[in-house]
Amino acid sequence: MLEQKFSKRSKYATASQTREILKVTEKPEIISFAGGLPAPELFPVEEIKAACEAVLHETGAQALQYSTTEGFPPLRLAIADRLKKIGINTTAENLLITGGSQQGLDLTGKLFLDDGDTVICESPTYLAAIQAFKIYNANFVEVPMDEDGMIMEELEKVLQEHPQAKFIYTIPDFQNPTGRTMNLERRKKIMELANRYNTIIVEDNPYGAVRFAGEALPPIKSFDHEGRVIYLSTFSKIFAPGLRLGWICANQAFMEKFVAFKQASDLHTDIFAQRVTAKYMELFDLDAHIEKIKAVYLGRREKMIACIQEFFPKQTKYSAPEGGLFIWVELPENIDTKEIFAECLENQVAFVPGESFFPTIAKKNTFRLNYSNMPEDRIVEGMRRLGEVLGRVAVEA
């Protein structure tokens, strides 16, 4: 019999609940609000085709060859220019192209976390970040949130109680799963606390460019004068997630380590995808494309909120994000959304139960809805089906 000789770390590796749910919801008859999927009909297919042809025609051999770990220089320059426009004064040398922002999370875990180290995070937080850091046997300390993001008084208490915490993980813009945004005062305060308590901030910002209402806020990293903020982002929500392109922006000392760890992992990110993306940005207007995405997502968010108000029990609480992809729903405390998930699937509608977004103590009466992927007519029908189940559960409770 084969003897299993897995590493100790392997016992911390668990499948993502969202990815497992997506397997179940692939049937076309199921209306899924589960995955954080962009709208596929908005992908710039013809423009990407033109960019592919241009890359193959102009630099085909180089595009199919091995490349540098740091990433394609013109793409890094283009990203640096975009970051400067939102207040992050950086250069291409402080950028590493990754296989989506998820690889950025994994590399951050590899670089900073030893067995039993502490990560401070929002409560709830991004489930794939929990998954990435748990592999390194991290301990999580959750900081409560309100509608303006992580509560700074609570964060300071946690920093005092856990002075050896390796970093604070935060998603300040349209947070996954809640859709909440950290206000300006708290962005400045979290930077002040990181400086005072000598800790690092991992600022994860996949959604910041997808703001369709309200006023844009500067990234936390724009207030960073000591090199404490590691900034992660991605092209997945503004371009094409299948290309798997993200980036890390960090100080040079961190960057050298990130590059070394990435070399041990995959040598370099898909260079053809990098060149195609850089060529797209040269030939076409990425910002104009993002404006199209924002207009569609605003309509879908408004439709979903209207459906919550019409179809859900009156005691339902929900977030009203000004951007991003998600709405967070809270039901009465005696309802476990994981238990009603199977009934919703029978009703051919899906969501993600909230339990998975809490690394320590779960609030089981919560769930996440995605509005970006479904057209408005499917949103209405799916929310009606979901409302039927929730209405029955509320009456029985």
Side-chain angles (χ1 to χ4, degrees):
M1 180 179 293
L2 176 65
E3 182 182 359
Q4 294 181 343
K5 295 185 178 180
F6 295 141
S7 68
K8 292 179 181 178
R9 181 175 295 129
S10 68
K11 67 182 179 181
Y12 307 120
T14 56
S16 163
Q17 182 175 346
T18 303
R19 297 293 149 193
E20 294 304 306
I21 287 173
L22 288 177
K23 293 178 186 177
V24 178
T25 59
E26 283 180 343
K27 299 176 182 177
E29 65 269 21
I30 292 181
I31 299 175
S32 177
F33 304 129
L37 303 179
E41 67 273 20
L42 298 179
F43 295 155
V45 176
E46 292 304 314
E47 292 87 347
I48 291 175
K49 180 180 177 182
C52 287
E53 291 176 346
V55 167
L56 290 171
H57 176 71
E58 296 167 11
T59 57
Q62 297 96 313
L64 301 175
Q65 182 59 280
Y66 285 115
S67 189
T68 57
T69 302
E70 289 84 352
F72 185 47
L75 180 61
R76 291 159 66 208
L77 282 168
I79 293 169
D81 288 343
R82 293 184 67 81
L83 292 180
K84 288 173 185 175
K85 291 177 182 178
I86 60 172
I88 298 176
N89 187 20
T90 191
T91 65
E93 287 68 34
N94 292 104
L95 289 165
L96 171 66
I97 305 299
T98 58
S101 58
Q102 188 65 27
Q103 187 181 45
L105 293 171
D106 179 59
L107 292 174
T108 300
K110 283 182 179 177
L111 180 52
F112 291 102
L113 296 176
D114 291 314
D115 195 63
D117 278 343
T118 296
V119 172
I120 299 171
C121 65
E122 292 148 344
S123 181
T125 192
Y126 178 40
L127 113 80
I130 298 172
Q131 187 181 24
F133 301 146
K134 268 192 175 178
I135 288 210
Y136 304 102
N137 194 24
N139 293 320
F140 292 85
V141 179
E142 299 179 51
V143 179
M145 306 174 72
D146 60 20
E147 294 309 310
D148 291 317
M150 187 186 290
I151 299 170
M152 291 298 112
E153 293 79 8
E154 297 298 324
L155 172 60
E156 184 162 15
K157 291 177 186 176
V158 167
L159 287 168
Q160 291 170 345
E161 293 167 0
H162 300 272
Q164 301 304 315
K166 284 298 182 72
F167 55 79
I168 304 163
Y169 173 72
T170 180
I171 310 169
D173 291 279
F174 320 124
Q175 195 242 17
N176 184 354
T178 65
R180 295 166 180 158
T181 292
M182 186 183 291
N183 67 23
L184 180 60
E185 179 184 356
R186 293 187 186 182
R187 290 171 190 243
K188 294 177 180 179
K189 185 66 175 180
I190 195 173
M191 193 71 255
E192 176 193 325
L193 291 174
N195 291 334
R196 188 190 311 167
Y197 291 94
N198 192 28
T199 192
I200 293 165
I201 297 172
V202 178
E203 180 179 11
D204 195 2
N205 188 19
Y207 316 105
V210 191
R211 172 178 282 279
F212 43 66
E215 183 180 351
L217 296 173
I220 296 168
K221 188 160 181 61
S222 68
F223 305 111
D224 180 21
H225 304 298
E226 299 184 10
R228 294 186 179 277
V229 179
I230 296 166
Y231 182 89
L232 310 178
S233 195
T234 180
F235 283 104
S236 292
K237 305 304 185 289
I238 59 172
F239 189 47
L243 295 179
R244 306 308 306 130
L245 292 180
W247 62 88
I248 300 172
C249 179
N251 74 47
Q252 199 57 43
F254 290 165
M255 190 54 59
E256 290 174 3
K257 294 291 186 182
F258 277 126
V259 169
F261 275 110
K262 182 169 170 61
Q263 286 172 346
S265 177
D266 65 3
L267 301 183
H268 65 81
T269 299
D270 185 329
I271 186 59
F272 184 71
Q274 291 186 62
R275 284 177 175 267
V276 167
T277 302
K279 180 59 67 173
Y280 173 92
M281 295 172 75
E282 176 188 328
L283 297 176
F284 303 102
D285 188 341
L286 179 59
D287 287 318
H289 175 64
I290 294 171
E291 289 301 316
K292 293 178 184 178
I293 293 172
K294 289 157 60 173
V296 171
Y297 289 4
L298 172 60
R300 293 180 180 184
R301 184 213 65 167
E302 290 179 338
K303 183 64 69 175
M304 183 168 277
I305 287 178
C307 289
I308 290 173
Q309 295 169 345
E310 180 177 358
F311 300 129
F312 282 21
K314 297 306 178 187
Q315 61 269 46
T316 302
K317 297 178 182 178
Y318 58 93
S319 61
E322 295 182 330
L325 280 67
F326 305 110
I327 291 174
W328 183 245
V329 179
E330 296 186 28
L331 300 172
E333 291 186 0
N334 58 337
I335 296 176
D336 186 341
T337 58
K338 202 169 183 179
E339 292 182 358
I340 65 174
F341 177 73
E343 184 177 353
C344 288
L345 275 186
E346 291 176 4
N347 221 29
Q348 297 185 331
V349 64
F351 56 84
V352 181
E355 181 176 344
S356 299
F357 299 99
F358 296 90
T360 56
I361 302 173
K363 292 184 179 180
K364 298 185 177 183
N365 60 318
T366 58
F367 63 94
R368 189 191 74 179
L369 293 171
N370 165 261
Y371 52 78
S372 60
N373 185 244
M374 288 288 160
E376 291 187 18
D377 60 333
R378 296 273 279 171
I379 288 174
V380 173
E381 177 58 23
M383 295 293 282
R384 184 191 63 77
R385 296 177 190 177
L386 184 50
E388 286 180 357
V389 176
L390 294 179
R392 286 199 300 273
V393 171
V395 170
E396 292 170 1

